[in-house]
């Protein structure tokens, strides 16, 4: 016997600027979007009630205070998520799909939202993430703006004190990848799911998959990490720093207090997105796609956008307006900067008794106490001559792992995926498979290369754990 749960996703009403994802401050204090006004399918003669319409998303509400890794506390939080497929009776066919920096939980279209999801071609019956076998859950991360609690959410404590709705804004506490993962596992607890078949993620999602397996080794059967890093490289930090600076220097940002005002940091958000787009794709692709083509050969030569690559970047920047909260960009990008598996927390701040062994029982590491004091103090800093700190941080990950990198990715270079695989093997994990893909799509390969990425993902999800095939492959 199986339990079927209707697929749902976060969807926001359309309106100018940020009003499309954040309701008026006079509305209910939540990010729950207005239900769709009508079915987009079925006979027109039947107009169902709101209660009978397919829901666009599911919302998990955690009512207790939630302590964060860096010391902050959320008095409560919500997680927006959607699901596909059927949860079996044992509740052991679950795939937790984790997202990148800007992605919503809408990875696949369904009755509640017919718009194509960001991994549309990868999810479904018979596809790499096979919904005829697996029950797939995709969440919006803590700090986001697609249903989950973030800077645009109502601050319940401040609102109670002021006797009116007050948004968090920049008073929202700093969040980390560890916090995002712990919030997701609170959702799994709520759904009665004790183990997941796999955690699958790309980019920041790949960081989350590593963190999930490290924090919950007894609850994760296998993981897939695509175009991710075990620790953020200074080059990636520098790029995101520039994104944040152009955003915060827009007068419309107003110190993060642009909510419910007549100003919005449109230029800053657009520029930040354009910078991001440059890092997501690669030069070889753009050489083929755009070359030096002009948008209009009849235009007078001046400093307005002239080349097609320029108009493409402008288009990408405008697409984000009204779809993403600038403050969420600040918080989530900083969480990526801070991520370092060498800094794996040994306990959950919400449970003082939940200590974890930092070293796997079958592993012998260097005596860290004998290391140079300076190196010990900076063990979470980038030090590529001393990867044993990373090895130590990933030592609890002993499940089968698929790591995929892309040669043309310069945001998170392929050597960083090789570093993940190398450290996992050094930590005693004998079930590590590493693929390095060729191609011209750069960091966004996980969205575009269905043949190679899809085949590798499906193989890892479906392989019999009794006969693993670890190794290193170049495609």
């Amino acid at each position: 016997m199986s339990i079927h749960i209707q697929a749902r996703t976060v969807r926001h009403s359309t309106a100018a600027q940020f009003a499309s994802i954040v309701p008026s401050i006079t509305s209910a204090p939540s990010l729950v979007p207005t239900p769709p006004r009508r079915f987009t399918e079925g006979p027109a003669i039947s107009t169902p009630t709101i209660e009978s319409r397919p829901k666009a998303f599911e919302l998990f509400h955690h009512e207790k205070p939630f302590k964060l890794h860096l010391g902050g506390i959320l008095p409560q939080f919500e997680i927006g998520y959607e699901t596909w497929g059927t949860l079996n009776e044992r509740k052991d066919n679950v795939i937790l799909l984790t997202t990148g920096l800007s992605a919503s939980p809408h990875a696949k279209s369904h009755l509640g939202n017919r718009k194509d999801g960001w991994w549309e071609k990868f999810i479904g019956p018979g596809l790499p993430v096979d919904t005829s076998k697996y029950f797939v859950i995709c969440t919006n991360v803590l700090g986001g703006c697609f249903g989950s609690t973030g800077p645009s959410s109502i601050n319940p404590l401040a609102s109670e004190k002021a006797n009116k709705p007050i948004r968090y804004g920049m008073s929202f506490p700093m969040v980390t990848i560890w916090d995002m993962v712990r919030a997701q596992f609170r959702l799994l607890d709520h759904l009665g799911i004790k183990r997941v078949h796999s955690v699958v993620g790309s980019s920041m999602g790949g960081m989350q998959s590593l963190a999930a397996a490290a924090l919950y080794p007894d609850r994760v059967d296998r993981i897939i990490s695509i175009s991710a890093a075990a620790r953020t490289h200074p080059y990636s930090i520098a790029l995101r720093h520039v994104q944040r600076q152009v955003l915060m220097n827009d007068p419309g940002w107003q110190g993060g207090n642009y909510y419910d005002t007549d100003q919005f940091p449109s230029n800053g958000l657009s520029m930040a997105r354009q910078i991001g787009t440059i890092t997501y794709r690669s030069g070889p692709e753009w050489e083929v796609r755009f070359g030096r083509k002009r948008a209009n050969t009849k235009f007078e030569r001046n400093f307005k956008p002239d080349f097609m690559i320029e108009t493409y970047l402008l288009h990408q920047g405008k697409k984000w307006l009204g779809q993403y909260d600038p403050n969420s960009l600040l918080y989530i990008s900083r969480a990526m900067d801070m991520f370092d598996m060498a800094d794996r927390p040994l306990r959950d701040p919400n449970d003082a008794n939940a200590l974890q062994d930092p070293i796997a029982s079958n592993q012998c590491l260097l005596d860290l106490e004998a290391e140079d004091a300076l190196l010990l103090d900076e063990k979470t800093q980038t030090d590529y001559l001393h990867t044993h700190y990373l090895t130590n941080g990933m030592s609890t990950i002993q499940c089968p792992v698929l790591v995929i990198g892309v040669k043309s990715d310069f945001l998170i270079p392929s050597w960083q995926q090789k570093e993940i695989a190398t450290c996992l093997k050094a930590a005693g994990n004998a079930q590590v498979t590493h693929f390095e893909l060729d191609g011209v799509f750069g960091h966004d390969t996980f969205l575009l290369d269905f043949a190679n990425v899809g085949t590798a993902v499906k193989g890892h999800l479906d392989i019999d754990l009794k006969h693993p095939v670890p190794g290193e492959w170049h495609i």
Side-chain angles (χ1 to χ4, degrees):
M1 178 180 179
S2 296
I3 303 170
H4 182 72
I5 297 182
Q6 172 64 43
R8 301 175 177 119
T9 189
V10 174
R11 176 166 64 185
H12 301 287
S13 59
T14 57
Q17 301 290 358
F18 191 55
S20 64
I21 56 174
V22 177
S24 168
I25 203 160
T26 58
S27 64
S30 74
L31 290 181
V32 180
T34 303
R37 294 189 176 278
R38 57 172 19 180
F39 265 137
T40 54
E41 142 177 63
I45 59 174
S46 175
T47 303
T49 62
I50 290 178
E51 289 75 14
S52 66
R53 295 169 182 161
K55 290 186 178 180
F57 70 100
E58 194 72 64
L59 196 66
F60 163 58
H61 182 69
H62 187 275
E63 298 180 350
K64 298 179 180 179
F66 186 66
K67 297 179 181 179
L68 303 172
H69 178 62
L70 295 178
I73 299 177
L74 289 172
Q76 60 187 32
F77 71 83
E78 292 178 326
I79 293 292
Y81 68 100
E82 68 167 289
T83 66
W84 303 263
T86 301
L87 183 64
N88 65 20
E89 188 173 14
R90 298 186 304 274
K91 297 186 177 183
D92 63 356
N93 67 330
V94 176
I95 292 178
L96 178 61
L97 182 62
T98 50
T99 66
L101 184 154
S102 61
S104 77
H106 186 50
K108 175 74 176 181
S109 59
H110 56 73
L111 289 178
N113 186 346
R114 294 184 178 280
K115 183 179 179 181
D116 283 356
W118 54 267
W119 234 26
E120 184 73 21
K121 296 180 179 180
F122 291 79
I123 303 171
L127 294 177
V129 182
D130 193 344
T131 53
S132 66
K133 296 180 180 180
Y134 306 116
F135 179 63
V136 184
I137 303 173
C138 185
T139 79
N140 181 218
V141 297
L142 203 63
C145 55
F146 297 102
S148 295
T149 298
S152 60
S153 301
I154 299 299
N155 182 337
L157 298 182
S159 299
E160 182 179 2
K161 184 177 180 180
N163 198 29
K164 63 178 182 180
I166 302 291
R167 300 192 191 278
Y168 278 106
M170 297 307 288
S171 70
F172 192 75
M174 296 296 291
V175 294
T176 65
I177 301 295
W178 313 108
D179 300 317
M180 297 173 185
V181 170
R182 286 199 175 104
Q184 291 164 346
F185 274 76
R186 294 297 192 276
L187 166 62
L188 296 179
D189 293 338
H190 170 73
L191 297 175
I193 297 169
K194 296 181 179 179
R195 295 184 66 90
V196 296
H197 176 73
S198 182
V199 182
V200 180
S202 305
S203 190
M204 188 183 78
M207 296 177 178
Q208 293 172 69
S209 66
L210 291 171
L215 292 176
Y216 301 98
D218 297 330
R219 300 184 64 177
V220 177
D221 286 344
R222 66 189 77 187
I223 65 171
I224 298 177
S225 180
I226 308 172
S227 295
R231 52 184 171 185
T232 300
H233 189 273
Y235 177 75
S236 302
I237 296 173
L239 289 169
R240 287 191 287 266
H241 165 75
V242 175
Q243 287 181 285
R244 290 189 293 267
Q245 289 301 307
V246 298
L247 173 55
M248 291 188 292
N249 278 285
D250 186 324
W253 183 62
Q254 305 174 69
N257 298 314
Y258 49 83
Y259 304 112
D260 310 297
T261 72
D262 58 359
Q263 296 186 54
F264 184 83
S266 301
N267 290 333
L269 182 60
S270 176
M271 286 296 298
R273 177 60 174 178
Q274 291 180 54
I275 294 170
T277 300
I278 296 171
T279 70
Y280 301 149
R281 307 301 272 264
S282 75
E285 180 210 359
W286 285 354
E287 177 64 33
V288 174
R289 185 175 179 183
F290 302 113
R292 291 180 50 81
K293 295 177 184 177
R294 297 180 64 194
N296 191 326
T297 57
K298 296 181 181 180
F299 283 173
E300 180 184 354
R301 284 295 177 90
N302 51 38
F303 293 104
K304 294 180 180 180
D306 185 8
F307 294 97
M308 287 188 67
I309 183 61
E310 294 176 305
T311 59
Y312 169 75
L313 290 174
L314 284 176
H315 170 70
Q316 292 297 319
K318 291 179 180 178
K319 279 176 59 178
W320 245 23
L321 302 181
Q323 296 185 26
Y324 199 71
D325 178 17
N327 282 343
S328 284
L329 170 63
L330 299 180
Y331 277 87
I332 297 175
S333 67
R334 179 54 94 187
M336 292 183 70
D337 292 348
M338 294 186 291
F339 183 66
D340 189 339
M341 284 299 299
D343 192 30
R344 173 174 58 85
L346 302 184
R347 67 180 182 88
D348 185 337
N350 296 280
D351 183 2
N353 296 318
L355 297 178
Q356 297 180 8
D357 186 356
I359 302 177
S361 58
N362 63 342
Q363 179 191 358
C364 180
L365 292 180
L366 295 176
D367 182 2
L368 300 185
E369 294 183 358
E371 290 294 306
D372 181 84
L374 179 61
L375 291 178
L376 189 61
D377 289 341
E378 298 182 351
K379 63 183 176 61
T380 61
Q381 303 299 315
T382 303
D383 180 1
Y384 299 101
L385 298 178
H386 296 80
T387 56
H388 53 273
Y389 292 121
L390 273 185
T391 301
N392 187 39
M394 291 192 280
S395 61
T396 55
I397 305 176
Q398 296 298 316
C399 64
V401 178
L402 171 63
V403 183
I404 300 178
V406 180
K407 289 182 180 179
S408 58
D409 185 348
F410 72 90
L411 176 61
I412 306 181
S414 59
W415 65 262
Q416 291 199 274
Q417 290 83 59
K418 186 173 183 179
E419 181 179 63
I420 293 173
T422 300
C423 290
L424 285 170
K425 293 174 184 177
N429 191 330
Q431 302 180 88
V432 179
T433 302
H434 173 221
F435 283 92
E436 185 175 89
L437 305 180
D438 207 347
V440 298
F441 296 118
H443 189 67
D444 274 358
T445 294
F446 71 90
L447 297 171
L448 303 169
D449 190 348
F450 176 81
N452 291 318
V453 175
T455 300
V457 167
K458 184 174 180 61
H460 189 72
L461 292 177
D462 296 348
I463 194 171
D464 184 353
L465 290 180
K466 296 179 181 178
H467 302 91
V469 187
E472 186 169 332
W473 307 85
H474 298 270
I475 299 177

